[in-house]
């Protein structure tokens, strides 16, 4: 009887210790919602101007994210993530045709936009093994974006930068499938989802 009581007491003390584990994550993602939306809108602008303005050379840094999670149970966690992305796109303007009838386009400027998102979230592990886990997470919060429009003058001797303004909006990330593998305090992880952190993300996490 005493052995049973000691065993129960040990289990009750062990569970809070397991639930108190905290995690720090660092990941990199691609094809975020802002990236997709901006590319689509810029391409649509070409159609509306009948090809007079044509965006090209789109470049994105990808999304760098850092997160913190507190495990309330072996399966349920609450935390959040901070994500950053920066990209730019050149805009070429129709400038006539050359002697061979080929279209001439000149660089008229480019947009440079940065996005910073802060999103609290919840996570549920539906597979939780010692060296392997699978999970789903959902984050929602706010996004701050800063836009600069840089115009190249006709004589191309100098450039003018026009801040296009700052704004705030709604941010989210829904990762339907997440996989983590590793041992000890370190694990590698990968996720497939949709939101501010990207369609596909990969990174590492450290269990405190």
């Amino acid at each position: 009887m005493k052995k049973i009581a000691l065993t129960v007491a040990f289990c009750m003390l062990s569970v809070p210790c397991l639930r108190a584990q905290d995690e720090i994550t660092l990941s990199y993602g691609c094809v975020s919602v802002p990236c997709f939306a901006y590319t689509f809108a810029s391409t649509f602008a070409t159609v509306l101007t009948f090809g007079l303005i044509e965006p090209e050379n789109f470049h994105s840094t990808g999304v760098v994210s850092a997160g913190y999670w507190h495990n309330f149970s072996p399966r349920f966690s609450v935390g959040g993530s901070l994500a950053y992305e920066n990209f730019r796109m050149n805009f070429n303007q129709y400038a006539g045709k050359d002697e061979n009838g080929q279209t001439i386009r000149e660089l008229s400027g480019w947009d440079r936009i940065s996005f910073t998102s802060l999103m609290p979230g919840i996570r549920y592990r539906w597979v939780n093994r010692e060296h392997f886990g699978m999970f789903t997470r959902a984050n929602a919060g706010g996004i701050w974006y800063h836009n600069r429009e840089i115009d190249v003058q006709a004589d191309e001797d100098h450039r003018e930068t026009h801040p296009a303004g700052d704004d705030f909006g709604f941010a989210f990330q829904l990762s339907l499938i997440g996989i983590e593998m590793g041992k000890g305090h370190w694990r590698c992880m990968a996720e497939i989802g949709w939101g501010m952190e990207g369609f596909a993300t990969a990174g590492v996490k450290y269990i405190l």
Side-chain angles (χ1 to χ4, degrees):
M1 188 67 180
K2 181 182 288 187
K3 290 183 178 181
I4 296 177
L6 290 174
T7 301
V8 173
F10 177 78
C11 292
M12 293 179 64
L13 291 174
S14 299
V15 170
C17 293
L18 179 62
R19 292 180 178 178
Q21 287 183 336
D22 296 331
E23 304 171 4
I24 297 176
T25 63
L26 183 64
S27 62
Y28 179 83
C30 60
V31 192
S32 67
V33 167
C35 177
F36 178 82
Y38 191 77
T39 304
F40 177 79
S42 298
T43 303
F44 192 61
T46 303
V47 177
L48 291 179
T49 60
F50 299 98
L52 294 179
I53 297 178
E54 183 177 90
E56 64 175 18
N57 297 330
F58 178 83
H59 175 72
S60 171
T61 60
V63 186
V64 178
S65 304
Y68 170 83
W69 296 92
H70 178 76
N71 298 318
F72 284 96
S73 74
R75 295 189 180 274
F76 181 73
S77 307
V78 173
S81 61
L82 177 67
Y84 175 82
E85 181 179 17
N86 182 285
F87 57 80
R88 81 175 193 177
M89 178 181 291
N90 296 349
F91 287 91
N92 296 327
Q93 189 168 359
Y94 177 78
K97 295 182 180 293
D98 61 15
E99 58 184 11
N100 298 320
Q102 300 295 321
T103 299
I104 301 175
R105 295 186 181 277
E106 296 179 350
L107 178 66
S108 61
W110 61 77
D111 279 0
R112 182 171 295 170
I113 307 178
S114 61
F115 295 89
T116 304
S117 305
L118 181 62
M119 300 174 289
I122 57 175
R123 182 183 63 190
Y124 181 77
R125 287 191 184 92
W126 31 286
V127 175
N128 188 22
R129 300 290 185 264
E130 183 178 359
H131 303 302
F132 176 80
M134 299 183 70
F135 60 89
T136 297
R137 72 177 174 99
N139 295 62
I143 184 172
W144 170 71
Y145 59 91
H146 175 68
N147 184 10
R148 288 191 301 157
E149 295 177 350
I150 303 175
D151 295 332
V152 178
Q153 298 300 307
D155 57 14
E156 298 186 358
D157 290 335
H158 63 284
R159 300 169 179 171
E160 288 188 359
T161 301
H162 306 283
D166 300 337
D167 206 348
F168 295 88
F170 174 74
F172 73 95
Q173 176 68 30
L174 177 61
S175 295
L176 298 177
I177 301 176
I179 300 175
E180 57 183 29
M181 294 180 291
K183 61 184 300 184
H185 291 280
W186 291 96
R187 284 195 172 191
C188 298
M189 59 183 188
E191 302 177 24
I192 297 295
W194 187 237
M196 305 304 169
E197 296 182 51
F199 171 75
T201 65
V204 297
K205 79 171 182 179
Y206 181 77
I207 303 175
L208 300 176

